[in-house]
Amino acid sequence: VLLQASGGGLVQAGGSLRLSCAASTRTFSNYVMGWFRQAPGKERDFVAAVRGSSTSTYYADSVKDRFTISRDNAKNTVYLQMNSLKPEDTAVYYCAADRYYRGGKAADYAYWGQGTLVTVSS
């Protein structure tokens, strides 16, 4: 599975961005899709995940009620809508995929995109 993330950029605090991640697989709906982020000098942290049927979503406490993960299985794409952005949200955001949901660890995901940089200015 090849993943291509896009949509990052520079935004002021309080603003919004929507990230997209396109997947190259004919069985996209069979995959759990996740978003992670990595700030300079820090570990890659879980942000959100969505199961294949979109019936279950999961969020890190730090982004709950501000970020929304969704997917369009017809377009093989997962989205991350980010609202009320804060400077501490600044990071490279990665999309990831796996056949099973096992939690919020990066090691739980087999496939990764290249990352897209989100910078939130104060």
Side-chain angles (χ1 to χ4, degrees):
V1 178
L2 296 179
L3 303 173
Q4 181 75 34
S6 61
L10 174 64
V11 64
Q12 288 188 335
S16 298
L17 277 177
R18 189 177 81 155
L19 305 183
S20 300
C21 177
S24 63
T25 173
R26 295 183 178 181
T27 57
F28 179 69
S29 62
N30 290 347
Y31 288 86
V32 175
M33 298 300 298
W35 286 98
F36 286 74
R37 65 186 182 186
Q38 188 167 19
K42 295 189 176 181
E43 295 185 349
R44 191 169 296 190
D45 292 331
F46 172 76
V47 175
V50 57
R51 290 187 184 265
S53 61
S54 300
T55 54
S56 297
T57 56
Y58 309 88
Y59 294 94
D61 288 343
S62 58
V63 306
K64 204 170 292 183
D65 299 327
R66 299 189 298 123
F67 291 10
T68 302
I69 189 170
S70 62
R71 64 191 296 160
D72 185 337
N73 288 340
K75 295 183 178 180
N76 281 17
T77 302
V78 62
Y79 305 97
L80 185 68
Q81 177 66 44
M82 305 185 295
N83 299 329
S84 302
L85 282 161
K86 305 174 181 179
E88 51 263 43
D89 294 319
T90 295
V92 176
Y93 282 71
Y94 298 89
C95 61
D98 201 89
R99 290 295 306 275
Y100 307 101
Y101 179 74
R102 285 175 283 236
K105 297 180 181 178
D108 294 333
Y109 290 79
Y111 305 100
W112 291 86
Q114 85 290 359
T116 185
L117 176 63
V118 173
T119 303
V120 184
S121 63
S122 56

